[in-house]
Structure formats: C-alpha cells, structure tokens
Amino acid sequence: MRAVLPGKPQAKLQAVCTAQWDGRRTIVYISGNALVILGGADNVIQTIYQEGEDLEAVAIDEATGKIATCAGSSIFLYRPYGWNEGALKWSLETTLSLISPEDIAYTLSWGSSEDLLVGSSCLTLFRMSEEQPAIWSRQLSSSAKFAHFSYDSTLIASTGKYDRLMKIWRRLSYGSDNVQFDFTYLPHPTTITGIHWRRPFHRDQTIDNVLYTLCADNVLRIWAATDPHGLQMLQLWAQIDLQESIKPRMPSVETLSHIRYCFIIDSRDFTYATERAVQGSNAGDKQTHALEHLIEVAKRSPEVCVVLDDKGHMSAWGLENVGSRARKTTSIFNISHIEALKLHFPQDVNDEQRYMQFYNFCDQPNGEFTLLAHYFDGRIEWLEGRVDEIFDPSPRPDRYKSKAFWTGHASPIKKIVRTASGKALISRTSDNEGLVWKQNISKDGTSLIRQSTIKVPNHIHRTCVLAEGDFALFLHHESISLWDTRAIEAILVSSCAFELEGKPLCLITLPGMELQKEVIHVASISSKLNGITWEIRLPLEALPDYTTNGTGNPYMQEFCKFDLGIEDDLAYVLPVDPAGSASVISGFIDTFAKDIAISYTNAGILKSWTAKVDPKNASVEWLVTSTVETGIENPSLASGSSIRKTALVNAEKSVLTIWDTRGAQLEFELSFGSYETIQDLDWTSTPDDQSILAVGFPHKVILLAQLRYDYLNAGPSWASIREIWIRDLTPHPIGDSIWLGSGNLVVGAGNQFWVYDKEVKISDTLVTNLRLPSHQSVSHDLFNIVTRLNGPLPVFHPQFLAQCILSGRPLFVQKILVRLHKALKFFVEGDEIESFLGIPLLDFYDTQSLSNSSAKGLHSSSYDDDSEPETLTEDIAANINEKLTKIGIPQLSGQEQIDLADIVECVATVEKHRRSIDDNASRYLLFFRLHALRKSQANADPINISWREIVWAYHSDSQEILVDLVSRQFQGRMMWTNARESGMFMWLRDHAAVRAQFEIIARNQYTKSDTKDPTDCSLYYMALKKKAVLLGLWRMAGWNREQVSTQKFLANNFSIPRWKTAALKNAYALLGKRRFEYAAAFFLLADCLKDAVNVCLNQLGDLQLAIAITRVYEGDDGPVLKELLEEQVLPLAAREGARWLATWAFWMLNRRDMAVRALISPVYTLIESPESPGLQARLFLADDPALVVLYKQLREKTLQTLRGASKISPRAEWDFITHNARLYDRMGCDFLALELVRNWEFLHAPQEARRSASFEGAANPRLSLRRRGSMIVADLPNPKLAPELQSVGVGGGASGVVRPQSVFEEPDANALLDGFGF
C-alpha cells in the first residue's frame, strides 16, 4: 500500500487521541460514524463503524489499551485482543448510557482503575469493574467543553463552551460507595481555548500536577500547586504571551500575523528525542552546533512550549522546574526562533476551520520526533523530523518531512470519477458532497492531495472532471452545473437547465480538436438514445474575479441536440475508461478513432461509439465503431476502455467476460461463486497499451492482466495478477475504485481511501503461475510485469518458432536455432541474448530475401562465422538442449525453456525426413512429436491431437510415410487410444489404407492382454465386416464362459430378419449392462450402422470412433457418414466455433468451396440449420492465424475451392487478413504480422463481362488467379452431364468428377487458351 486516507477527522476538540500502549504507538480518531485506529503513517489497524449519528469524542487508556467513544447519550467501550498473536484488533466490550437520554456526551477522559469521566451537561464518572458503572455525577452550569483527568487521576479540569473559569475538581475519596469531590476555580480573563496536563517520564513516577491553559487572549498560563495551604488547589506559576513570543526579523505586512498556535512538548519526549538525535548524528555533521545547543537545553529537563503562526514563524521556550515554589527569572528561557517553517496551514477558510491542535511523541523506530497536526478543515498531517533540525535557528528547508495526510469524506463514498490522464479525480458521497483530489508523485511514492470541497445543493446524477481537476461538472435531473475547483471551497460558475426525453444515463467528454484545448464539449445520452451537448469554455489564466463579467470567466451553453436512433431494448450507455493517450479527433471520423462510449442492450448486444464535433454546423457526428453479439442476456454491469476492450457481467453478477470489440471475440470468461458478487469494473493500460482490469467485489479487488494469445497450448488470454483484500482494514464494503494515471489503484470503502502502489510480489502464487523469469531480476512494478507478459517475443521463443513453422518457414526456423546455438556457445549467466540473434530484420518478413539466402546456404554474407552448419542436425539440437538444462535465458521462464528444448528436438527430428515429406506432413509430424514429448513429461492421460494438426495431415500427400512414423511412435503396436490420439482415421484419405490400418488396430486390440479376449476387438472386426475372423478368435477363447453361446450365435446368417432381430436384442441387453463398445459391435452385426454410431457418440463419447467405424463399414460416400457429418460434426463445430473441424467436415462432404469459406466465415452462418453459437464459439481460440496459411493453400487447389474463395467478398478477405495480423501481434509475433500484410496477394474479382460458356453464365474462377489455370484440379460437376451421371462418385478420386466415355473431339481454341489462364 502506498498511502491511506482514513477519512475526514471531525472538527471536534477531542476528535484525536494517541497513547503508547503495550510498547506500541496507537493513534485513534473519529471520522463521521467511524472510529479509525492507526499504528503509523500508512498503517491502518482497524476501522470500526458505529451505526447511528456521528461520533463526538474519543479517548484511549494507556494502561489497558481500551478505547472509549461517544455519540449522543451513548458511550461505546472497545477492548483490544489478539496482540500476542500479531493480529491486534478491538471489539465492542460494553455500551454505557448517560442518565438522561436527551443528554449529549462531549468529552471523555480515562483515569486510574479503569475510571472513565464523561462530560456532558453534567460530569459523570463510570467505573468499569462495578455492576452499576455510574458511581458519581454532578450537574454543570453549561455543557462541558473540556473535562480531563490529571495523569495521577487526583484532579479534574473542566470548563464550559464559552467559560473563562476553569473548575478544578479534587478527589476526596476513591471508594465506589461514596465518591466525593471538592472544587475551586481558576479565573481567566477570556474564554479558555485549550488545556494540557503535564505527563511524567513513566506511569509509575509521582510528580506534581501542572496544568497549561490557553485563552483567547493568546496567553499561555501555567498552573501548579505552589502553595498546598492556599485556598486554591493550583496557583498561577507563570504565563507566556504568545503574541509577543514571535517577532519576525524583517517585519512586513506579509510576515505579520495575529494568529497563534501553541503546543507543549513534555520533558520526557523532549529528552528522549534529544537522545535519539545524538545517537543518529554523524561526526561530520555540519549542524553539530545546533545539536550541542539542544544537548545543553535537554540537561535542564525543561518542558518546551512551541509557538507558531500561519506565516511560517516558530519560537520554542523552555520551562525549567515548573511548579517550584521559588521561580527564577531563568526558569523560562528561549530555545530558538525559526522562520520559513513549511506547514500546511489552512488557507482561505473561516475561523472555525482555521483552528488547529497538535499531538507530539517520540517513540518511533526511526527515533525521529513526530508531530500530529489536526487541522479543523478536515485533515490530520503526520510530520517527522530530528529534533535538532527542527529547532535549528539557521535557515533550512527540511525541518519536517510530511509522511502522510489523513483526510477524506465524513460519509460513505458512492462514486469516484477521474480525468482522462488520471492525474485528478473527484469522489462524491450520497449526501452530494464532492472532493477533488490531485495526484502527487514524489520520491516517496504516489499520494492524493485534497484540492477542493464541493457542496452541491441538488442531487448529483453524473459527474465529470475537467481541466485536470480545475473544474467539475455535475449532471442533475433537470440541470447541469459547472464548478470552479481551483480554490479550497469550490465556486459555482454556471448552470443550465435542460429538457431531455428519457432518463439521462451518462456524461461523456467528447474528443476535442488539437488547436482548441480551452473549448470542451460534453454530451449526455438518455435512455431513448437522444442527447444534448454543451459547450464549455475554460480560462487558461489564473482564478478570475467572478464578480465581473470579464472575458476570462468560464461559461457553459447548450451546443446542440442529437438523436442516435431508436433502441427499444437499450439497457445502458456509459463512457469508457480512458486508456493510452487522450482522444483527439482530426479532420474526419472513422472506425479507427478511439471509443468514447459503449452501450449494451438487454439481449447482450454491445456497441462502441465515437464522435466528432462540428463547430461550424453546431452538430455532433456519432459513429458506431463495433457491434458485438455477446449472447449474455440482461447484463448487470459493463465497462469499456478506449482501446477496444469491454468487460461484461451476467445478470447474477457472478460471471465475468472480457471482449475484444475490435475483433468481436471473447477473450476471457471467469465464473465466481454465488457468494462473490461483482460490483465494479475499472480499466487502465500500460504505456504500450497493454490492458489491466480491476474487478471489484464487496471486500476485495482482483487485478486481471492480459496475456499473449497462445493457440498452441490453448492457454488463457487473461490472468489474475494480484488480489487486494480490505476486510482486515475496514468492515465497510467497497463503494468504488479507480485507477490513477501512474498505475496506482484507489479504493474507496466507507469514508476512506486506500491508495495501492504498483509493487507486485513475485513470490505471490498468482504471479508465479504466469511464467515470469525466476532467474532474472524482474522489476516488481505492475506495468513492467504486464509488459513482460505481452509485447513482441524474442525470435527464439517457442511460440514464435512454432508459428514460423505453421506459416511455412522451416528454413527460417533452422536459421534461428543455428544462430541460437552459436549464441549459447559463449553465453554465461548474467549475459543478455539479443532478441533478434543478429539476424537482419529484412529476413523476418521478406520471403524473397530468405529464398536467396537459402539458395546460397543458410549463412549468407551477413553472417561472418562460416564454420556454422547450414541445417539443424541432431547433434546441434542435443548441444542446444544440453545448454538449456544448465543455464537460464533471461528472456524465458523455466517452462518456456522446456518448451524451447522440445521444439529444438522436434525440428531436428523432422529435418531427417524433410526431403521425403511435404510441408503439411512436416507440420503434422512436428506438432505430433511435440505433443508426445509433452505427454511424456507430464505423465498425463492421453490427450487427442488438435484438429489443426489433423487437417494438416489430411491435406498432405505423404500420408504413407506419416502412417509409418506414427506407428513407430507407438512401437508398432497401435491401439485405438493411440489412433485416436494421433487422429489417424480422420486424416487418412485412401479408403484401402483406412481399412488396412483399422485391421491392424483390431489385431492389436485382441493381443493387448495375455488373455486375448475377443470382446476387445469385436467392434473393429464387425466394422471391417470380418465376422469369420472374429468367429475364429472365439473358437480359441476356451477360457471365456461366453465362448459357447457366442460362437454358436455368430455362426448364424444375420441377413435373415430373425437373426438380425436377435442381434439387436443382444445389443440392447448389452447397453443395459453398460457394455457399450460390445453393444455397438452387435448393432453392426445386425447391420444397424446408425445405431452403432449413436452408441459411440452418446454412450462412449468418442466422435473419432464413430467416424472411423462409419468410414470402414460403408466408405466415404455412404449415407450414414454424410448424416453424421451434417447433423453431428458441423453443428458441433458451429457451437464451439471449431473452424478446423468444420473445414475438414466440408471437405469430407466434397463441399470444398464451403471448406474454404469455413476458414473465414463463422461456421454457424454456413450450415443449413444455423444453431445459436455459444460463448465457446465466440472465444478467441476459435480463431487461429494458421487458418490463413491453410486458406492460402486451399483456395487455389481445385476449382471448387477457388469458387468458394471467389464467393468471399474482398472486404471479408481484407478483414480476415488484418484480423489475423492483429492476432499475430497479440501473440507477440509482430514480424509474422508484418510478413502477412506485406506479402499477401488478394484474389482479383473477375469482371461481370468476362464469362465463360463452360460455367453457364457464372464467373469463371480461373480468372481470379494470377497464375496459370492449368495448375488447378478441375473438380466442378460438369453441367452437360446427365443428372444420373453427376450423382455417381462425387466423393471419390482426387477431383470427384465422373468423366464420360472417351470420344475424340476437336478441341476448341478458346478452351485451350482458357486452360492456360488467357
């Protein structure tokens, strides 16, 4: 925590108290109905809220640590507990009441034996140990202003509000049965304004009582028992004229003041402070003479009277032998006179707010003298300094160091609003009080300084802060008011009434022109989506004179009204949280402008808005920059940032979703329990526009930081980085929170502020899970950590290497790894590896440059070490991995180094086979090998390889080699779990190969155990329609008790309806016994493929098994497979947004045009019965930059795919490319984003006039190509064929086209030219 603002202290004479209890300094003060207990400048121990009216006074008992406070006629006593366990708190012990319920307690004072004196219209003495606590009471002529026990509890000094007579009560008996006091008066010429009893060095010391009184005549009087036989208990010992005590060296009107403040430093504190100053001094101190003077003063053990004025003058007077009967002239002596003392005295306030009280002590661990200044304008300042520096008469600027200001509101905070820069904010309460705060950044950290107080007579509906906190704007129900907040008390400048249809929902500052900074336009939008704009002109000079209508005065006027259309379902419109640079509009408006507002409907439709002011036409132009259908009904809370991030909370306030409105995609979803209610959302960003979200709950705030997208591991894009709990500090729930521009979080709870710094503990479990480097000295700064978790990756990062492989740049990956090998050769701990490894930047995005360098060898002239190999061999990979196990690379975490080692090993493995397999097979093989390595490291259950890798293998022409390599991975004994893990039966295209591999699976399933149970392979042999083989296996299963019956049953002819029915009965019986796989085999025995598929889908939950047995049983052209793909696979892809699955399914259906479109368009828009997509379909993982690689590969592969690509509008393709470039950027692969947008070639849309007769009026897709059309596989159905011929063989072969009988025809010349793309 950086700073704490515990609340506005009451302007009461006994609002603050302090005591040294149990070896610890405790400060207690009252703020509204809150009791604030502190242990240091920034250490709030506890806040206790008392229901009912505001508290009046507080007192702490030094002996027991008990705290008493009062409100009305009630006195509340709190006792401490838990100090031995290191968790000190106070709890309510009892509640006392005055005799008269109409009476009001004004003063509290602890005495010995837990006696408590309460001053009201009478003096009442309570003893806590008695059954009837009130043991004595006396009526007063006027309500008590002061009523305090002396330190030994023998005397009481009391006086009324305007009394000039101090009444001294002397205790005559100490029993509880018959308590008696007598009293005398100490006369004063004017009203008594302050009293102080002398305190001993320690509690057991016996000293004469001395009373200091201060009057309105600016004279301090010292009373002591100099004559024990006199009529009065105390006699006037001496007096000091405070007015004459301060004489400026150079008197002038500016330096003279009649205001005086005074406080007493007891001898014990002054002596101890001097001792600590001597201990803390150095022999070479230049100010040694000041310390020597102070030592001589301390030897006389004086009490010290300090006198101040509001012009920075201070004089200190020593009082020696106070109370001695023979007072010498030297008993009162001057210690020092100081000028230019810098204290924050109240300025421009009334007489009541000008009043101050001081409390001093010297028991802090640093040994410095501490002064608490209670300003009655609502502040307490904690000042520290060495006593020799404080009283040094020579000029010096740093006598006191201001450690903290305790201030705030007197009632609970309702809302906090900040400026765009975050340098100023305004907080307001439910009683329409506003405080303007300025951010103060010093070497000690960030704090808040109260600038102005605003007391608004009308209800505040919305608030806006202008001109970095110099002005404030308040929207009321039927008017708007502008306030100047440059003074301590804000001044109403202007007010405008307005009429608006509907309820005003927000107050938005519109982006301003760069050349007109003094003109501000503010708009309010109603629930009917109409609004009004006001123009505000602010002065740039100092505070003007509002008594004249000068040109420098600020003014406000209505600018225009506007209508945004009709939205019956509108729920709310609210301004976005500013992030990044301020919004400035140039000469035009477009969707690239920063958002200024968001709106959402009850149906969950999010819209982002920007606006542009047109001064010439007195109008405002509004533009919707994005629209997102979230599917979240009745959102309860929303918050957007100006850099296109929006958080949305569901109706139950338990589920948080974060959306990227630019890409209309869901980035994060987090569900909290019903016991945790989300109530606040606040955005900020790092200087490089990385977003941070503060999620507020009643008693805690969770900070979420964005992460890089991770499509390879399907990792989350947001993570919790810090949790802030305030339940231990205050029982009051959080009212609001806000970010400062510096990255500090301000939390308002009750009437208090908590300013949290940016420091994040690396040891925090939330942070250790984020893959931060543990072997590198990482700054604990929040912004630095979030920047580390985002931004560009080093080129040797495993994610960058994997994306390079997917984008078809294996040679470039080898170049990077060879350069990494060279860098690691000479690497020692503490060195920094260059992020680019010395590779020219042109090579990252210029594929032509890479091709040229590859032609010359991997090491061109830009690399000066010719001894390096050209490719990544297994030996080099082993050397790199050996290094990675011994050293820590600064830019990588431990887990990332493990991932890098896996990538290195896989690249070396694939390189061995690179000449015999194509690029798609290389992609599959590398990620399959990587998948196997990670599975072995984690010892986890088998996880299927992703559909992305399945699609790469499906479009490979090296499937025979892939089958062999995958089989070797499982030692030649591939079970179904292994096949499912590799996705083999999804990517094999050749039907004969599918059946052959499935038979191998069947054999391995049979021999997987020593018992060789035929039931383990029944489903597979039934799918292969090899009942005879299965029957033979049952003949050898003599150990199985089902052998005889099963063998006899399988011997029947199941083409006969009777036995088919029997097989079905057995299948259903097996379902009842939950033998699902065996039941599916009997369904196949009955030739009920569809039922077997349903068992695989519903009971086994194995989609791949359902597809595999269907392909094996009826081939790729059967009706069941078509139905399975259309009714199960495609709807599943639509629900989950699985584009890789969708493009595979469309290709299997021979809808290759749709397979291409599925890479770009949402899947649910392409199927015949569109299904409502869930949140999973909108998640960012539904997109993948590798889709653009496959799209580029497939769109020119066949005429069907080319036709599908031609149906994609140029705008959609443009959006697809730019969206994927942004995905690369979010992943940290900026160079791949640059390479994509720099080298992408768009298809040329054919002109309407250029038609080909062979396509019956449709645009010839060949005309979209930049290369020759003869390279395209012709797989379009021939329209000249008979319909019965077209329906045959649409799924078979490379092209799927049935050719008529070959009859020689003379080729047409135009057709030949078309074949070459002319």
Side-chain angles (χ1 to χ4, degrees), residues 1233-1252:
L1234 179 60
E1235 188 270 337
L1236 175 64
V1237 298
R1238 185 180 187 273
N1239 300 321
W1240 183 261
E1241 291 184 2
F1242 290 91
L1243 288 178
H1244 289 288
Q1247 298 177 4
E1248 293 296 327
R1250 299 170 64 187
R1251 301 286 181 180
S1252 172

Side-chain angles (χ1 to χ4, degrees), residues 657-935:
T657 54
I658 299 177
W659 300 81
D660 176 15
T661 57
R662 185 189 299 274
Q665 63 187 10
L666 175 66
E667 289 194 345
F668 187 65
E669 181 183 11
L670 184 60
S671 178
F672 301 93
S674 57
Y675 56 89
E676 291 186 302
T677 303
I678 303 172
Q679 64 180 25
D680 189 29
L681 302 168
D682 294 288
W683 288 97
T684 189
S685 67
T686 64
D688 56 344
D689 286 354
Q690 311 297 345
S691 297
I692 305 172
L693 176 64
V695 184
F697 298 86
H699 296 282
K700 71 174 181 179
V701 178
I702 297 178
L703 303 188
L704 297 176
Q706 76 173 38
L707 308 177
R708 297 185 188 95
Y709 284 168
D710 184 1
Y711 288 98
L712 300 180
N713 302 309
S717 60
W718 288 78
S720 299
I721 197 170
R722 185 179 181 184
E723 284 192 6
I724 297 172
W725 289 84
I726 70 161
R727 187 182 288 274
D728 294 337
L729 303 173
T730 174
H732 205 288
I734 296 173
D736 200 5
S737 60
I738 204 77
W739 289 97
L740 295 178
S742 58
N744 298 82
L745 181 68
V746 179
V747 179
N751 58 348
Q752 300 174 324
F753 284 107
W754 316 90
V755 183
Y756 288 89
D757 54 25
K758 297 190 293 182
E759 298 299 312
V760 177
K761 294 181 180 178
I762 296 296
S763 60
D764 194 330
T765 54
L766 293 175
V767 180
T768 53
N769 295 331
L770 295 179
R771 295 190 172 189
L772 283 170
S774 56
H775 44 256
Q776 179 186 352
S777 177
V778 180
S779 170
H780 296 187
D781 184 87
L782 173 66
F783 281 179
N784 287 344
I785 289 178
V786 176
T787 300
R788 165 68 181 82
L789 295 171
N790 296 274
L793 293 168
V795 297
F796 48 82
H797 193 282
Q799 172 148 285
F800 185 85
L801 295 174
Q803 291 301 325
C804 284
I805 294 167
L806 287 175
S807 62
R809 307 186 70 184
L811 295 179
F812 186 59
V813 171
Q814 293 194 46
K815 174 186 285 191
I816 293 173
L817 294 179
V818 169
R819 294 297 291 176
L820 178 63
H821 174 247
K822 180 180 177 181
L824 291 178
K825 273 186 180 179
F826 310 102
F827 179 83
V828 294
E829 289 288 348
D831 287 353
E832 187 82 15
I833 297 181
E834 185 189 358
S835 295
F836 301 146
L837 295 174
I839 300 175
L841 298 184
L842 184 64
D843 289 358
F844 287 97
Y845 58 86
D846 192 338
T847 54
Q848 187 66 33
S849 171
L850 182 61
S851 301
N852 293 338
S853 65
S854 300
K856 300 175 184 177
L858 274 174
H859 296 277
S860 61
S861 59
S862 59
Y863 303 94
D864 47 15
D865 189 355
D866 295 331
S867 63
E868 288 288 339
E870 295 182 358
T871 59
L872 182 74
T873 63
E874 290 187 326
D875 292 337
I876 294 178
N879 291 335
I880 294 176
N881 287 350
E882 183 181 0
K883 281 284 188 180
L884 292 176
T885 59
K886 296 179 179 179
I887 62 176
I889 299 179
Q891 294 96 322
L892 301 180
S893 67
Q895 184 59 47
E896 288 168 347
Q897 283 198 201
I898 295 174
D899 295 343
L900 176 59
D902 293 343
I903 288 278
V904 171
E905 181 179 340
C906 294
V907 170
T909 303
V910 173
E911 176 61 24
K912 291 192 304 183
H913 308 282
R914 187 168 63 87
R915 297 184 183 276
S916 56
I917 59 177
D918 58 13
D919 287 344
N920 286 339
S922 297
R923 293 185 179 100
Y924 172 84
L925 183 60
L926 188 141
F927 287 101
F928 174 69
R929 178 63 182 158
L930 190 63
H931 168 82
L933 283 176
R934 291 181 176 176
K935 185 186 70 171

Side-chain angles (χ1 to χ4, degrees), residues 124 292 665 969 1183:
T124 307
E292 291 175 352
Q665 63 187 10
Q969 175 65 32
D1183 296 322

Side-chain angles (χ1 to χ4, degrees), residues 1146-1147 1149-1157 1194-1207 1255 1261 1272-1277 1290-1291 1294-1297:
F1146 278 127
W1147 200 280
L1149 289 168
N1150 203 31
R1151 295 296 308 277
R1152 299 176 181 178
D1153 54 339
M1154 301 295 286
V1156 173
R1157 293 174 62 187
L1194 295 185
R1195 68 176 182 179
E1196 301 174 6
K1197 193 170 186 177
T1198 71
L1199 284 180
Q1200 272 202 57
T1201 61
L1202 191 57
R1203 183 173 67 178
S1206 65
K1207 291 181 179 179
F1255 290 89
I1272 305 299
V1273 177
D1275 61 347
L1276 287 174
V1290 288
S1295 61
V1297 177

